[in-house]
Structure formats: C-alpha cells, structure tokens
Amino acid sequence: MNASVKTAVRPATPGDVASIAAMLTADLHSDPLAEWLVPDAEQRPFVFHALLAFEVDHAIERGDVDVLVDMSAVAVWRRYSGDDRSSLADHHLSTFTGRSLPRFQQLTSALDSYRTAAPHHWLSWLSVYPDFRSNGLAQALLVQHHQVVDEFGYPISTVVTTEPARDFLSAHGYHAALPLHLPSGPTLWPLTRHGRPATAASTDSAPTD
C-alpha cells in the first residue's frame, strides 16, 4: 500500500460491529495470550468473535471506538472513572467462554491487580488490517485519542502480549512497567501513558506501525 491511504478517523457505528469483531478475531489467530486462553484452535475464533462483538458493541455505545474511514484499522478504548467494572462480567464470560472460563478469570484478576483505581482510559485493542500496515495508521488512531484524553489530563493504560507491540507503544509515549506472568501462561507487558494537559501535550512522533 502507498502513502495515499486515507487516514481520516471517525467514530465507529453499530453497523461496524461485525467487521471490527472479525478483524480483531483474525488478529488473535496466533496471539500467545489467545492461544493460552483457548487452547482449542477450532473453538478459539468462535469464543473470541462472540466476546469481541459484545465488547465492541458496548464500547461503540459509549463512543470509545475509532476506525479509519476505509475500515483498515481500529482502536477500542474504555473509560474508567474509578468505580467501573469491566463490561465483561463473570456471567458474560461464562456464557461466551465455556470451559475456558477459569483462564479468562485469571487474566481478569491479573489485569485488575495492575489497573489503577484513579480515572483513566484503557486501550483495549489496536489493530490494522495486514495489507495496510506500515502506513502510520495505528499512529493516526493513537494521536486521535491522545488529543481527547489530553483535554482532561487522563493517563492511558494497556497491556500487550508481544514485544513488538510493547516497543511500538513505547515509541509513542507509553512507559512499560514490570511484566505480568500468568500461571503457566505467556508474559504480558503493562504500559502507561501519563496524563498531560492539552497545553503541555506535544504531537506524537515516532516510527509508524
């Protein structure tokens, strides 16, 4: 793909849920955390598509999903005010995950131990369709939301499952904490972008995705 790819960002709509869930599910095909959560390769896409469709639909309702105009990339965010619970409560997890529920609960517990109780935003998913990578689309989505949070000075937290993802976010102002280790599972890397007032915020510049 060339540099003429459009990078205009728009809020996702309910009509985008199926496409976004499919894109994210495809991204998880060989993700180490997804493989640990659902070891059965045949069941994995069904479990995650159901989970992701629910999560994305909930996030779109709150206005926390950004997409490129051509649907080549997506970012899913959550806003935490300090007393929020995950949209995926235990009864939702048990409905969607079946026998994999204990591992999803372990993951939720690990993430809750890391997440701050102070108001913050959470980057849940950042995905670029393979044919559109290396065009700065992930950076465009980050910059869009960074401008939103910087109006309020909120920090952003996230946890990623690969070193390239960790390094990409580190290059865009996120600071890595000590890794999280799941029981007999993969290593996760927590990262935080510290809150900054809009007047002090600078344009992110770093290598593209």
Side-chain angles (χ1 to χ4, degrees), residues 12 17 81 178 182:
V17 171
S81 62
L178 292 175
L182 294 169

Side-chain angles (χ1 to χ4, degrees), residues 109-179:
S109 178
L111 296 183
D112 286 345
S113 70
Y114 162 72
R115 187 159 38 233
T116 176
H120 65 285
H121 286 211
W122 182 274
L123 174 57
S124 297
W125 303 96
L126 180 63
S127 177
V128 178
Y129 191 77
D131 290 347
F132 291 82
R133 290 174 183 169
S134 301
N135 283 293
L137 303 187
Q139 178 174 315
L141 289 167
L142 289 178
V143 169
Q144 170 79 10
H145 199 76
H146 291 173
Q147 292 172 350
V148 173
V149 296
D150 287 344
E151 291 183 12
F152 304 96
Y154 288 153
I156 302 173
S157 295
T158 191
V159 171
V160 299
T161 61
T162 66
E163 293 186 30
R166 178 201 63 191
D167 295 345
F168 171 76
L169 289 175
S170 294
H172 288 81
Y174 290 73
H175 303 278
L178 292 175

